[in-house]
Amino acid sequence: MATNTSSLKKKSEQVLDGSDIMELVENQEVFTSFVDHKFKELDKDSDGHLSVKELQPAVADIGAALGLPAQGSSPDSDHIYSEVLNEFTQGKQEKVSKTEFKEVLSDILLGMAAGLKRDPIVILRIDGEDLLEFINGPSYEVEMLSVFSQIVSDDAVLPMRDCIVKALEKLTVDQGMPPSPDSWVTSNIIEPALQLWDGNNQEKLVSQETFLEEFKKVAERVAQNLKEQPVIVAHSENTFDGSGIKRLLSNKFELDKLLNTALENVPKDRNGKVSKEYLRVVLDVVAPSASLPPIGAVEQIDKVVAEAFDMINADDGKAVKEDEFKKLLTEILGSVMLQLEGNPISISSNSVVHEPLASSSSLLQPSS
């Protein structure tokens, strides 16, 4: 169930909507000074150019700012790190000048700002107050009985402790509960609350009445732990309804320019034809401009894209002329747009922030 961002405002510390990044990049004087400082910081041998090795900290910091796991921990994210590096080196240069560094950094930051403007991230400080308000509020019994019925239907006979753990997993930031699958939340917030809970009650027969009673006791202890150790959660939500694709398709000039740029880096055979196997690669390049997530990021969107590919037999691996390739990609985008217009897909995510936001990416912090 998607959460309404406006209902979270009272719990939020800040909203990351890209405006700070836009302000930095659009102020030429400030941005030039920012780039000068960062370039000097990265240019270890002071030769006025950045080598691939010297660029690595910048690439790692951009990954951190995008919320990617560390390099080397996932093939999917490593692919994005390689793409970022290629943006700087253009895939062939061994050295990057300050002008090139500034241009690419500007493009990357503006892309990030556009993404945040479209899908802002709300930073929530969860300190137990909202959880106490929920368990002592008028909707507690109705909502928790609904949760209880789901747990019982999943597994007819469960010990009380297991019922409570499963119930905590079903609560969201709306009820003042941080994501319980997070290992830090489990070991520092949930487990201590369960340990302090009266062990004798663990053997009680699980009925609706005893569940409501015992769950409230544990939730009160969870709220107390959150008061002592508040949890910072990054909350984001977005709805994919095809409107971004519609905007792109209605601007033929922008679409052609985007496809031509994407096709420049795609291999062609001796007749200048392009294999259909690169349709997904080019679609991934076009995705941000069509308000679509990268392929592999949202399972429901991947299914819609796969259906669109099936409809036009795009996975047969045949080589086609560039114009035909562009036509196929436009058809795929049109098909995905119609699907999403008919059945919009909403995604809501919550992740625990384990370090201060300001230190997550030193590259993006203006110099003092």
Side-chain angles (χ1 to χ4, degrees):
M1 182 181 73
T3 312
N4 188 332
T5 307
S6 61
S7 71
L8 299 166
K9 290 287 161 72
K10 61 174 181 159
K11 305 169 204 164
S12 67
E13 289 288 292
Q14 64 186 120
V15 178
L16 305 182
D17 60 2
S19 56
D20 288 350
I21 299 175
M22 289 294 285
E23 208 175 293
L24 170 68
V25 178
E26 287 176 349
N27 186 323
Q28 278 302 313
E29 192 181 329
V30 173
F31 188 59
T32 299
S33 165
F34 171 81
V35 170
D36 286 347
H37 174 81
K38 296 301 173 188
F39 191 89
K40 189 177 176 184
E41 202 177 82
L42 294 164
D43 187 14
K44 298 296 182 189
D45 59 7
S46 303
D47 69 346
H49 288 78
L50 298 180
S51 65
V52 169
K53 187 179 177 183
E54 287 171 332
L55 277 166
Q56 286 299 340
V59 173
D61 274 331
I62 288 167
L66 292 168
L68 297 176
Q71 270 181 287
S73 58
S74 158
D76 292 335
S77 56
D78 283 354
H79 167 69
I80 298 172
Y81 281 112
S82 298
E83 289 293 315
V84 172
L85 185 62
N86 279 335
E87 283 294 318
F88 283 114
T89 62
Q90 299 299 308
K92 45 191 179 289
Q93 288 170 252
E94 284 187 18
K95 295 270 188 176
V96 174
S97 70
K98 189 190 287 186
T99 304
E100 290 162 335
F101 178 72
K102 183 179 179 181
E103 282 174 9
V104 175
L105 189 58
S106 172
D107 287 347
I108 289 172
L109 291 179
L110 287 173
M112 286 168 62
L116 284 168
K117 185 179 180 183
R118 190 173 64 245
D119 306 315
I121 295 173
V122 182
I123 303 300
L124 308 170
R125 184 175 186 271
I126 299 183
D127 59 8
E129 279 188 30
D130 292 299
L131 183 57
L132 281 176
E133 195 178 302
F134 167 65
I135 61 176
N136 294 311
S139 65
Y140 171 71
E141 283 199 13
V142 174
E143 288 194 40
M144 291 316 298
L145 286 176
S146 168
V147 167
F148 179 72
S149 65
Q150 290 171 42
I151 294 167
V152 172
S153 66
D154 290 345
D155 196 329
V157 184
L158 271 181
M160 180 67 79
R161 182 190 169 97
D162 291 0
C163 279
I164 289 170
V165 169
K166 280 183 176 284
L168 286 169
E169 286 172 5
K170 291 185 182 290
L171 293 190
T172 68
V173 291
D174 252 2
Q175 288 100 10
M177 185 69 197
S180 58
D182 183 89
S183 59
W184 190 91
V185 173
T186 301
S187 56
N188 292 276
I189 304 294
I190 296 172
E191 281 300 331
L194 288 166
Q195 284 164 17
L196 287 169
W197 172 50
D198 183 2
N200 295 330
N201 293 326
Q202 292 189 37
E203 304 309 315
K204 267 192 180 181
L205 283 172
V206 181
S207 66
Q208 289 186 351
E209 193 179 332
T210 56
F211 169 74
L212 288 175
E213 190 183 313
E214 300 306 321
F215 181 82
K216 184 176 277 193
K217 288 178 188 174
V218 174
E220 282 171 349
R221 295 196 179 281
V222 167
Q224 181 59 37
N225 292 343
L226 286 168
K227 185 181 178 182
E228 291 165 9
Q229 298 183 85
V231 175
I232 307 298
V233 173
H235 171 86
S236 66
E237 51 184 68
N238 44 53
T239 299
F240 303 102
D241 58 5
S243 58
I245 305 175
K246 195 171 192 173
R247 272 194 305 276
L248 181 62
L249 293 180
S250 66
N251 187 336
K252 193 170 186 309
F253 175 76
E254 187 191 345
L255 180 63
D256 278 348
K257 186 180 166 190
L258 198 61
L259 291 177
N260 287 335
T261 305
L263 279 165
E264 281 174 13
N265 299 314
V266 172
K268 299 166 187 70
D269 68 13
R270 63 174 183 267
N271 298 316
K273 289 186 175 183
V274 184
S275 170
K276 285 191 196 175
E277 69 188 40
Y278 289 103
L279 279 165
R280 276 187 171 79
V281 174
V282 175
L283 181 60
D284 230 10
V285 174
V286 172
S289 302
S291 299
L292 286 172
I295 288 173
V298 178
E299 191 182 344
Q300 298 97 309
I301 298 286
D302 288 348
K303 284 181 182 173
V304 172
V305 169
E307 285 172 20
F309 269 69
D310 286 345
M311 279 173 66
I312 60 164
N313 205 19
D315 283 323
D316 61 11
K318 289 182 180 174
V320 293
K321 289 181 180 175
E322 273 197 30
D323 284 349
E324 176 66 14
F325 188 92
K326 289 184 195 173
K327 187 175 169 229
L328 287 170
L329 199 75
T330 305
E331 283 178 28
I332 289 166
L333 285 167
S335 173
V336 172
M337 179 189 77
L338 291 173
Q339 286 270 24
L340 293 175
E341 282 180 339
N343 297 291
I345 293 170
S346 291
I347 303 295
S348 175
S349 68
N350 298 291
S351 55
V352 176
V353 179
H354 290 287
E355 57 183 296
L357 286 173
S359 68
S360 62
S361 173
S362 61
L363 178 80
L364 301 175
Q365 299 307 310
S367 55
S368 51

